[in-house]
Amino acid sequence: MSKPRILVTRRWPSAVERILSERFDATLNLDDAAMSADALNKAIGDYDAVLPTVSDKLPASVFDAVMPRARILGNFGVGFNHIDVKAAKDRGIVVTNTPGVLTDCTADIAMLLLLTVARRGGEGERQLRAGEWGGWCPTHMIGTKVTGKTVGIIGFGRIGKAFAQRCHFGFGMEVVFYNRSPVDPAEAARSGARQLPTVEDVLGLSDFVSLHCPGGADNRHLMNAARLAAMKPGAFLINTARGDVVDEAALTNALKNGVIGGAGLDVYEAEPHVSDALKAMNNVVLLPHLGSATEETRTAMGMKVVDNITAFFEGRSPPDRVA
């Protein structure tokens, strides 16, 4: 029996690519360039499985223009708002993701952003590299203390909980959070956190606000002009969730006009495009979507996909099926 024909849309860790090539008739994207809508559409018609990433946009139109051969999309990532899951499901295509394995590293990046923007680390490094540092003085590059402050978390899933633990037990921060569904108070207490009824309640109390909610239509521009204005003056916004959760135009205005103190961003509305206005601001720390970017985590994510599509083609239920 011939092996299922699969397409891997970007380069993955070599250990994962090797296993995929052993188990399947695998086509790898050796150029590692993001695929166009036409190329993805063709792939859905030509392969038994397509293994996309967050850089691949799969709206309904990609599925409409071809008779699908693909029976499963093994998504490399926990978020899947770049895929029209309903359109895939309507055409009998299974969708899977990679939850759990990227929790710690994404929480670490959120902590890195919080510390860097609070203590002006990005500014300091740029100044030093440019040869502009004149030596220590008492008033040089004064930042914001982190220890003991209040952090608000929007979305209390795996990553939100891991981030809460780092803030509370590592830096003695008070942690409050909003989550769409109630969280058992005893479970929240294990992360040193307490739940508040509304997003606005969290924003009004927090010196730092960190986003850990899903992207997609339900949360698009959850942080808009009104909610940015509801944050404490001088507070900082951290986003390692999805770019569409924040209205970037409203954020730019809020930063420019001093409505909030600063922001730390790992994700963007129009990735890989980042506005010149954001790049020009010293009170913004910008990372190129590094949340899960460790060798250990990216390999574990890839192996999750291997497990999912292996189960599917062996007639078993994929362990991380979302549709």
Side-chain angles (χ1 to χ4, degrees):
M1 183 180 295
S2 61
K3 296 178 179 179
R5 192 163 183 251
I6 70 169
L7 173 70
V8 185
T9 66
R10 299 298 296 267
R11 294 308 305 264
W12 289 14
S14 58
V16 182
E17 289 186 341
R18 184 172 61 253
I19 292 172
L20 288 170
S21 296
E22 290 169 355
R23 293 191 187 181
F24 305 98
D25 178 7
T27 298
L28 307 179
N29 182 351
L30 299 180
D31 294 333
D32 201 26
M35 297 179 65
S36 67
D38 287 344
L40 289 167
N41 171 256
K42 186 174 187 302
I44 287 169
D46 290 347
Y47 291 86
D48 299 304
V50 176
L51 279 48
T53 72
V54 68
S55 65
D56 302 303
K57 308 305 178 187
L58 293 156
S61 58
V62 167
F63 303 98
D64 288 340
V66 69
M67 177 63 71
R69 172 176 170 174
R71 293 180 286 150
I72 183 170
L73 301 178
N75 185 53
F76 185 95
V78 65
F80 46 87
N81 60 303
H82 53 291
I83 302 170
D84 190 321
V85 173
K86 182 180 184 303
K89 185 177 180 180
D90 288 347
R91 288 152 186 80
I93 301 172
V94 169
V95 181
T96 64
N97 70 340
T98 63
V101 294
L102 48 73
T103 298
D104 284 326
C105 287
T106 304
D108 288 347
I109 282 287
M111 201 73 233
L112 171 66
L113 286 168
L114 187 154
L115 290 167
T116 305
V117 71
R119 297 300 305 273
R120 302 175 67 175
E123 291 179 74
E125 191 193 31
R126 288 191 294 273
Q127 185 184 83
L128 190 148
R129 286 181 182 274
E132 297 171 354
W133 183 40
W136 185 90
C137 72
T139 58
H140 177 245
M141 207 158 281
I142 300 296
T144 299
K145 185 178 179 180
V146 171
T147 299
K149 294 293 182 68
T150 298
V151 62
I153 296 173
I154 309 299
F156 205 65
R158 291 185 182 95
I159 300 171
K161 290 172 185 173
F163 181 67
Q165 290 167 0
R166 284 155 174 75
C167 291
H168 181 71
F169 296 109
F171 293 89
M173 302 179 82
E174 180 180 354
V175 182
V176 294
F177 70 93
Y178 169 79
N179 197 63
R180 283 184 300 179
S181 56
V183 175
D184 183 272
E187 180 184 355
R190 284 194 287 272
S191 299
R194 61 187 176 94
Q195 187 166 10
L196 299 181
T198 70
V199 172
E200 285 74 16
D201 289 330
V202 171
L203 300 180
L205 286 179
S206 302
D207 302 296
F208 301 89
V209 174
S210 191
L211 306 178
H212 298 283
C213 49
D218 289 347
N219 286 328
R220 177 172 169 76
H221 289 182
L222 179 141
M223 291 302 296
N224 53 27
R227 283 193 165 134
L228 290 164
M231 291 174 62
K232 291 173 67 173
F236 299 87
L237 179 70
I238 310 299
N239 188 14
T240 57
R242 281 291 182 262
D244 60 1
V245 174
V246 177
D247 181 340
E248 271 186 24
L251 175 62
T252 301
N253 287 333
L255 291 163
K256 189 181 300 182
N257 296 320
V259 175
I260 64 174
L265 308 175
D266 189 44
V267 290
Y268 308 91
E269 274 201 273
E271 292 185 18
H273 173 74
V274 180
S275 72
D276 290 338
L278 283 176
K279 288 188 285 189
M281 293 180 181
N282 271 328
N283 59 340
V284 183
V285 176
L286 305 171
L287 295 180
H289 205 145
L290 296 180
S292 62
T294 65
E295 183 69 27
E296 298 90 341
T297 294
R298 291 282 169 88
T299 298
M301 290 167 66
M303 291 309 301
K304 276 263 188 184
V305 180
V306 171
D307 291 344
N308 281 316
I309 66 171
T310 298
F312 178 82
F313 286 115
E314 289 181 350
R316 297 179 286 112
S317 178
D320 302 305
R321 181 171 180 163
V322 297

